[in-house]
Amino acid sequence: MIISAGESMQATGLQMERGPGFPHWTAGFLLSGLTEVVCTHQTYQLPGRSAMILPPKTPYRLTILKPQREIWMIFEPRPRLLQALLASEDPAGVT
């Protein structure tokens, strides 16, 4: 079930942080730009045409390194999709 979704455009230098208590899955589909994400003690640089899926209660911090355009979604997966998401080898779900 999709709880909320949208498209955003952000300028270089924007920083955002989410604490450990957020109860829903989060997906971000970076269409253009470059974003640095720090999550689960790892740092990732996501260029345009990247996706990131984070489980509930996963804290992260992001910094926009180049102006970005993103489609994002906050959701609760159906049981079948949940099994696939939990089977991911990368705890941050970065692709």
Side-chain angles (χ1 to χ4, degrees):
M1 170 178 64
I2 296 174
I3 296 168
S4 185
E7 180 180 355
S8 65
M9 295 172 59
Q10 305 296 337
T12 300
L14 175 82
Q15 294 185 336
M16 182 188 143
E17 191 167 331
R18 178 166 287 160
F22 192 72
H24 305 292
W25 286 82
T26 303
F29 306 95
L30 189 62
L31 303 174
S32 63
L34 181 64
T35 301
E36 180 178 87
V37 179
V38 179
C39 176
T40 62
H41 308 289
Q42 300 267 347
T43 300
Y44 304 92
Q45 288 203 355
L46 303 175
R49 298 184 178 179
S50 296
M52 177 178 70
I53 299 175
L54 295 171
K57 301 181 181 172
T58 302
Y60 68 90
R61 182 179 71 242
L62 65 84
T63 304
I64 308 302
L65 301 177
K66 290 184 182 178
Q68 77 160 31
R69 184 169 157 235
E70 175 187 35
I71 297 172
W72 57 268
M73 176 175 46
I74 298 169
F75 68 103
E76 289 300 324
R78 293 180 183 220
R80 192 173 204 175
L81 177 58
L82 180 60
Q83 290 175 346
L85 289 169
L86 292 175
S88 171
E89 292 181 27
D90 186 344
V94 175
T95 60

